Structures are given as C-alpha cells and as structure tokens.
Amino acid sequence: MALLLKTNASLSKSLDLKEILQTLTDSAAKMMHNGSAAVYLLEEDELYLGATTPSLPLNFPDKLRRAPLSDHPHIHKVVTGASPLILPDAKKAPVSQAERDVIAIRDLRTTAYYPLIGSKGPLGVY
C-alpha cells in the first residue's frame, strides 16, 4: 500500500510522459520484488519502448526498441482485444522471433501484458 501511495504521489507531480512511464515501470518492478517491467507505446502500427525497469542493456537491439506491431503478436492481441494476457512461462510459450529475442535478453518467465487504452483507443501495452 505504501508503494502505491508513493507511486500515486510521484505521478501527480509530473506531466512529463517519460517520467510518468518510468515511475510506472519502477513501481511495477518493485511490487514484483525485483521483477522487470516495460511500457510499449503504439504509433500507428509501430511499437516503441517508452520505459523499462531495469534499464535496457547497452547491447539491446534497436530493432527491438522500435518494432512493427506485427512482430509482436501477443502485444497485438492485447492492443486489439483490449484485454490482459498472461504467459505463465514465456520461455515455453509459442512466440515470434522478436518476442523470443526480448524474452532471452530480459530473461523473462511469467509475462503479463496489460493494455493501455485512452479516450481515442489503444495507446500501448504495460
């Protein structure tokens, strides 16, 4: 509860999108006891990483920082269906090559995708 209150206080102090997204991913990672979190934002049919916790490694490929939505079918499903999706074990799930690359680089296991929906439609995935 203390973390949620602290997050809320931080979010109410800023209108800077990068700062807000970073606060969200930092808080989510803390709630998962040193987990990881990311926000992918949607620009037409392209995804881009808005924030990650922990920070991306220097060798993280640019092709995964910005990628066609079609390269990430699980994100595509969440964005178009506007409902969450959980992969209990991402390393064993059927995934695209781009998803497999992210899973390997970030050493992901259980992966939850939550849609970010605005008044004009989908904004991305948390």
Side-chain angles (χ1 to χ4, degrees), residues 10-12 20 28 36 40 47 52 56-58 61 74 97 105:
S10 294
L11 292 173
S12 66
I20 290 168
S36 65
Y40 283 90
L47 295 169
T52 66
L56 293 176
L58 294 176
H74 288 93
Q97 184 60 53
I105 290 169

Side-chain angles (χ1 to χ4, degrees), residues 20-43:
I20 290 168
L21 295 177
Q22 193 62 55
T23 297
L24 287 172
T25 61
D26 290 348
S27 296
K30 283 180 188 172
M31 281 190 273
M32 293 181 285
H33 304 287
N34 295 320
S36 65
V39 173
Y40 283 90
L41 297 175
L42 186 61
E43 284 183 350

Side-chain angles (χ1 to χ4, degrees), residues 51-117:
T52 66
T53 302
S55 301
L56 293 176
L58 294 176
N59 66 340
F60 195 79
D62 285 337
K63 70 177 183 173
L64 297 177
R65 291 177 193 269
R66 290 187 91 71
L69 179 59
S70 60
D71 286 356
H72 295 267
H74 288 93
I75 292 176
H76 185 268
K77 182 176 181 177
V78 169
V79 168
T80 57
S83 61
L85 174 69
I86 296 175
L87 298 179
D89 188 343
K91 292 187 180 192
K92 294 180 180 177
V95 295
S96 69
Q97 184 60 53
E99 291 172 321
R100 187 178 349 264
D101 292 345
V102 173
I103 290 164
I105 290 169
R106 300 298 279 182
D107 193 28
L108 301 176
R109 292 303 283 218
T110 300
T111 306
Y113 300 89
Y114 297 95
L116 298 173
I117 309 295

